[in-house]
Amino acid sequence: MWKTAQSSIFILLSLAAGTSRAVNNGLARTPPLGWNNWNSLGCDVSADLLLDTASRLVSFGLMDVGYQYTVLDDCWSDGRDENGRIKVDLKRFPDGMTAVSARIHDHGLLFGMYSSAGHMTCARGEGSLDHEAEDARSFAEFSVDYLKYDNCYSKGRAGSAQTTFARYETMAQALNETGRPIVYSLCNWGEDFVMSWGVSIANSWRISGDIYDSFSRPDDRCSCTENDPSSPWCVSPGAHCSVLTILNKIAPYADRGQPGGWQDLDALEIGLGGMTDEEYIAHFSLWAALKSPLLIGADLRKLSPEALTILNNPAILAISQDPLGVPATRVERNTSVPKDRYGIGETHIWSGPLAGGDQVLILLNAANTDLEMVAYLEDIFAGQGPSCSAPQCNEDWLVHDLWAQRMDNNVASELLQKSTSREDAARILKGTNHYNVSSLSYKKGLEKLDKRLLGTEVDEIAARGALKVMVKRHTAKVFRLRPKLGVAGKRYSLFKDEL
Ligand code: GAL
């Protein structure tokens, strides 16, 4: 009798554990920072690549500005064994996955892997659909810390929010049942209203088809764009989505991310070569302000100093890792501006609250010419009260430029060439007073009002006024607004822990 009671209690407890929500798994309280091979290397993966990348994350000083996850994407499996366990491709990973994972962990980094909620992955490897429990156990055995879970070959179990939710929830439960904390990253390309249910089971969810290395060039293969941003009938969100397309896609529901569950705008293209430096600045700044996971997509063996100095900007990373965890939203879009030969041209103003009462402000110029842009406090704080009824609109603000302290190219070159260990990187970072999260977390640095995170003061906005800025074609100006008088010593919003 006791035995039966005991086992029912156990079943109840495991059911409770199994259905506990990933958003409450304690992980990803700020957007994950790391690297993923897909954008630059596709299926060209191996143990050597991952270990080489991990050591470069360390020696380039990227780990010391917060990048942690080394994520292996598709193309690592080799069928299943007679017991149904997924097999690792031993040609690419000769010592098995546990060995790779251990060596990544030895650096103090975390390890991510990939599978699909289908019978095959997108590159036609082994998928996890109907094998969720045994695959979750394999991931736990490999000491995986992050799982990207794709959407190909779903056997038709898609087309409604409920069907897709069920398919992804099965893996959420299987991961929870392993007892290992694993960040659960959904990759169903924004289909089936994932922006409404992703947060219930996952730490992040992709909202679009695959990004490509273009700032604004439209491509029919990236469907489901601005005219039907949340349509469940969107056919094949596909690939070749530009930075601008992804921004337009997320704009109506940009506010859905929160600590523990973030909207994934896809891995970064910075450093791949298809965009200008200015375009990459816009791409990185907006991904950070929208609180997307920031996974470097470049091949680190070919990283340029310019790309490194975008990826390692602590003032922008502090926006991504802000303790309040509120994504920026678009407060203005203007399409009456000069267009390019594709008919593309628009400007945006994005803004959102930050811990301590600050506010991020981004003026994006995707028009086909340099422009003077104007951001009104009335629009920036419209969400807090329209027509300047918000107290913030009646405040004077200091304007801090978050790209003014970008690392010098020579320092970046030294990190890329001469640094071979974490100590080397730390020495170089220290020599130039670059921010280092292993000495001071972003949260602590913000609490201490560290100037390297707050940016450089360049202007002011008077109460009920506006900021006018020249913004070059295809880039963004990125500012942290700070209340000038702190509203007579009062702050509008405190750090989350103080609330
Ligand atoms: C796509 C996914 C990409 C990448 C690729 C691998 O579906 O969106 O990010 O993972 O599959 O085959």
Side-chain angles (χ1 to χ4, degrees):
M1 177 64 184
W2 165 237
K3 260 209 145 129
T4 325
Q6 209 181 18
S7 58
S8 340
I9 290 169
F10 177 76
I11 289 167
L12 281 175
L13 285 176
S14 1
L15 278 177
T19 52
S20 76
R21 298 304 184 219
V23 76
N24 288 330
N25 65 6
L27 301 171
R29 304 309 297 170
T30 55
L33 304 179
W35 175 89
N36 171 301
N37 63 271
W38 185 256
N39 286 354
S40 54
L41 290 148
C43 275
D44 189 8
V45 292
S46 65
D48 286 349
L49 169 74
L50 290 187
L51 298 178
D52 183 78
T53 300
S55 63
R56 284 171 201 266
L57 283 172
V58 175
S59 68
F60 293 173
L62 288 164
M63 182 181 176
D64 279 337
V65 290
Y67 293 93
Q68 279 188 303
Y69 292 92
T70 310
V71 183
L72 165 63
D73 210 280
D74 206 344
C75 311
W76 59 266
S77 67
D78 182 24
R80 291 187 182 274
D81 69 14
E82 59 284 4
N83 302 315
R85 299 298 290 264
I86 197 159
K87 291 197 304 184
V88 172
D89 180 345
L90 293 176
K91 285 196 283 311
R92 296 171 188 261
F93 301 90
D95 300 329
M97 212 50 94
T98 314
V100 172
S101 171
R103 290 181 61 191
I104 288 173
H105 287 137
D106 284 348
H107 285 294
L109 293 165
L110 298 168
F111 179 45
M113 283 186 77
Y114 161 101
S115 188
S116 181
H119 69 98
M120 291 192 288
T121 69
C122 298
R124 295 192 283 278
E126 199 60 36
S128 294
L129 188 63
D130 301 327
H131 292 277
E132 291 86 354
E134 60 262 44
D135 287 1
R137 279 201 299 277
S138 296
F139 296 131
E141 276 167 29
F142 299 150
S143 299
V144 161
D145 308 295
Y146 179 113
L147 178 69
K148 170 173 173 178
Y149 203 43
D150 213 338
N151 198 29
C152 282
Y153 302 104
S154 62
K155 288 184 155 175
R157 290 184 227 170
S160 78
Q162 210 172 18
T163 327
T164 301
F165 176 83
R167 193 159 42 91
Y168 280 93
E169 190 189 26
T170 311
M171 182 54 97
Q173 291 181 359
L175 291 174
N176 285 346
E177 273 154 28
T178 67
R180 184 174 173 85
I182 298 178
V183 169
Y184 186 36
S185 155
L186 309 190
C187 178
N188 85 321
W189 320 311
E191 282 185 356
D192 293 337
F193 294 111
V194 66
M195 74 295 286
S196 306
W197 52 260
V199 71
S200 305
I201 51 168
N203 297 108
S204 66
W205 52 95
R206 278 269 301 278
I207 60 94
S208 71
D210 290 9
I211 191 170
Y212 85 137
D213 192 14
S214 166
F215 182 69
S216 57
R217 186 188 167 279
D219 189 303
D220 283 345
R221 284 165 288 183
C222 176
S223 63
C224 316
T225 52
E226 56 193 291
N227 297 326
D228 56 353
S230 58
S231 169
W233 312 118
C234 164
V235 178
S236 179
H240 298 83
C241 299
S242 71
V243 163
L244 186 63
T245 302
I246 293 175
L247 290 173
N248 280 331
K249 179 145 197 225
I250 200 175
Y253 50 89
D255 57 350
R256 301 291 171 91
Q258 56 185 271
W262 308 103
Q263 310 213 82
D264 184 349
L265 277 60
D266 207 351
L268 300 166
E269 296 285 350
I270 292 128
L272 273 84
M275 294 185 227
T276 65
D277 189 65
E278 297 281 14
E279 290 171 338
Y280 282 139
I281 285 178
H283 170 28
F284 189 60
S285 307
L286 279 153
W287 262 229
L290 280 152
K291 306 288 189 281
S292 170
L294 299 177
L295 298 185
I296 300 169
D299 178 349
L300 294 189
R301 296 167 300 189
K302 299 181 182 157
L303 198 71
S304 67
E306 291 77 9
L308 181 59
T309 64
I310 292 177
L311 296 166
N312 73 6
N313 180 343
I316 299 293
L317 289 165
I319 300 291
S320 149
Q321 302 297 299
D322 185 79
L324 206 57
V326 176
T329 54
R330 188 161 67 191
V331 297
E332 196 199 291
R333 180 186 189 199
N334 183 359
T335 52
S336 304
V337 291
K339 309 265 186 279
D340 63 18
R341 67 188 171 91
Y342 304 110
I344 299 291
E346 57 192 79
T347 60
H348 302 176
I349 297 176
W350 293 81
S351 190
L354 301 168
D358 291 358
Q359 183 84 8
V360 62
L361 172 65
I362 304 188
L363 297 96
L364 174 75
N365 180 0
N368 200 24
T369 185
D370 299 353
L371 283 175
E372 182 175 74
M373 290 182 64
V374 187
Y376 293 87
L377 289 183
E378 180 179 347
D379 294 325
I380 296 170
F381 294 110
Q384 282 82 358
S387 311
C388 237
S389 58
Q392 291 95 327
C393 188
N394 295 282
E395 177 71 11
D396 296 333
W397 293 84
L398 300 175
V399 179
H400 290 234
D401 183 346
L402 298 186
W403 283 98
Q405 298 173 36
R406 183 173 175 184
M407 180 185 267
D408 187 89
N409 252 1
N410 294 327
V411 181
S413 302
E414 202 181 338
L415 279 166
L416 293 174
Q417 282 159 24
K418 298 214 183 105
S419 152
T420 55
S421 65
R422 189 172 189 188
E423 290 67 40
D424 284 339
R427 183 178 44 72
I428 296 170
L429 294 183
K430 196 165 176 207
T432 53
N433 194 31
H434 199 78
Y435 203 79
N436 189 328
V437 291
S438 50
S439 356
L440 197 58
S441 69
Y442 285 114
K443 183 168 186 285
K444 288 254 151 51
L446 288 167
E447 281 166 353
K448 289 187 163 179
L449 304 178
D450 191 301
K451 289 203 163 58
R452 296 167 296 182
L453 302 185
L454 301 183
T456 302
E457 194 184 315
V458 289
D459 209 339
E460 289 191 23
I461 313 178
R464 304 180 84 85
L467 179 70
K468 274 195 196 145
V469 198
M470 269 310 291
V471 192
K472 283 199 206 143
R473 177 188 176 273
H474 284 200
T475 195
K477 287 285 185 185
V478 188
F479 303 108
R480 175 185 279 266
L481 305 186
R482 312 212 65 228
K484 191 171 176 188
L485 300 175
V487 205
K490 241 188 320 139
R491 295 157 113 203
Y492 293 115
S493 64
L494 301 169
F495 280 91
K496 197 110 190 157
D497 293 354
E498 299 168 42
L499 291 172

